[in-house]
Amino acid sequence: MFKECLDNVRANTPLVHNITNYVTVNDVANAILACGASPIMSDEPEDVVDITSICGGLNINIGTLHKSSIEAMSLAGKRANELGHPVLLDPVGAGASALRTNTAVNLMEELDLAVIRGNISEIKTLALGSGTTKGVDADVADKVTDETLDDAVAFVKAFAEKAGAIVAVTGAIDLVSDGEKCFVIRNGRPEMGQITGTGCQLSGIMTAFVVANPENTLEAAAASVCMMGLAGEIGHSRMQEGDGNSTLRNRIIDAICNMTGDALEAGANFEIR
């Protein structure tokens, strides 16, 4: 199942338009290239309609908002909807400020989103229309654990059904649901949280997977989450004495680049609820 999803990305080389944040833009581009897709970065309102028109999908990340990028997100999203291209929303830091929260909620309301991907605090903010987060990280009180897993699965399913989109909540335990089924994924390493941008990279990769697998978008989204987590495991296993988070970032991207469909299938650690 996941092997086919990755193979389709590499066979089709989908072009992904990213309106993403300037903290992680280079890593997002490299991660998309590593998985076998091709990135374009553009957030100028006069440019984005043309750019998104030639791409297969749109990844919107609100990590570093400014007025022109908000306009660009709306313009590009509406054009992608007109063309039937999947749109992913990564509501980075929703709940941390009124601007972030309102922007994310407005985009969710005005656009037809294929996927919403964020940490549990960000997703709860969108579900409630307001909330608080610890900057761009999930609040400790919200984190998905084995003790809260049943409630978290029910919440993600309900929100996915309400939003009419695949919802991917990433953290120590990842949840990916279309409202009916929920993948509970346990790949990854805690050290990935010490790298700025692993979530942003995943959003770019996930958009590519969804574009390349239009007939099974839920499985494609789950496959991308497993791939990112497995790459974290592989990258960490190759760390040497003296290596730090910068090296881990590079090793994760290398692991994505070198991952085969068979390795992804064998290493994916998930259950379906």
Side-chain angles (χ1 to χ4, degrees), residues 66-115:
H66 46 84
K67 290 181 180 179
S68 65
S69 70
I70 294 172
E71 180 185 358
M73 291 169 184
S74 178
L75 290 170
K78 289 175 181 176
R79 180 58 176 155
N81 284 168
E82 290 172 0
L83 295 170
H85 297 169
V87 179
L88 180 146
L89 175 63
D90 186 342
V92 178
S97 73
L99 179 65
R100 289 172 184 266
T101 302
N102 293 337
T103 298
V105 171
N106 289 341
L107 288 169
M108 187 175 69
E109 291 177 349
E110 72 179 22
L111 300 179
D112 180 11
L113 299 174
V115 186

Side-chain angles (χ1 to χ4, degrees), residues 168-181:
V169 174
T170 52
I173 301 173
D174 305 309
L175 307 175
V176 184
S177 178
D178 61 355
E180 295 183 4
K181 296 192 296 185

Side-chain angles (χ1 to χ4, degrees), residues 7 10 49 60 62 64 68 107 127 133 161 164 171 177 207 209 242 261 271:
D7 289 347
R10 296 206 161 131
V49 171
I60 298 176
I62 70 167
T64 50
S68 65
L107 288 169
T133 66
E161 183 176 9
S177 178
T207 306
F209 268 70
E271 61 175 309

Side-chain angles (χ1 to χ4, degrees), residues 212-229:
N213 295 277
E215 302 303 319
N216 55 336
T217 53
L218 175 64
E219 289 77 10
S224 69
V225 175
C226 289
M227 183 181 195
M228 190 71 196

Side-chain angles (χ1 to χ4, degrees), residues 17 19 42-53 72 75-76:
H17 178 196
I19 303 178
S42 175
D43 64 0
E44 167 54 49
E46 293 186 12
D47 191 47
V48 294
V49 171
D50 288 342
I51 292 299
T52 211
S53 296
L75 290 170

Side-chain angles (χ1 to χ4, degrees), residues 8 14 29 129 150 218 251 255 272:
N8 285 340
D150 288 343
L218 175 64
R251 293 192 186 280
I272 300 175

